[in-house]
Amino acid sequence: MNWNTILFVAFSAIGIIQYLKGLFVKAPAWMWAITLPIACIGLSCAWTLLPSWVVQGILALALSQLGYETIIQTVKKLIGAKQ
């Protein structure tokens, strides 16, 4: 078991799904439940088949999405609450 691959797949899948949720705001919850395992399998294939710069780009996109939601949005809420 390769933990690098597992963490890449997990963080990438979550980040990409969060990104897609922003684009498809009216999508039902069951769609995201189906999307997660498909994304995990697809990203596992990507890890083994694609060049490292593509895989790193996928991970960077996913982590930037998660970072935006957790850091930037939290700071905005805190600032908004103090005004």
Side-chain angles (χ1 to χ4, degrees):
M1 191 175 336
N2 184 338
W3 283 102
N4 287 339
T5 303
I6 293 168
L7 291 174
F8 160 77
V9 169
F11 280 106
S12 296
I14 293 167
I16 290 169
I17 287 174
Q18 287 302 108
Y19 177 79
L20 292 173
K21 282 183 177 181
L23 296 175
F24 303 102
V25 292
K26 294 184 180 183
W30 62 265
M31 186 176 113
W32 305 120
I34 292 171
T35 304
L36 184 59
I38 294 169
C40 287
I41 292 168
L43 289 165
S44 291
C45 290
W47 180 265
T48 58
L49 299 175
L50 295 176
S52 63
W53 63 270
V54 175
V55 172
Q56 290 171 8
I58 293 169
L59 183 58
L61 169 72
L63 292 177
S64 65
Q65 176 65 33
L66 294 174
Y68 174 79
E69 289 181 7
T70 56
I71 297 169
I72 304 299
Q73 293 298 341
T74 302
V75 171
K76 283 183 179 180
K77 287 179 186 175
L78 290 173
I79 291 172
K82 292 185 179 187
Q83 291 180 352

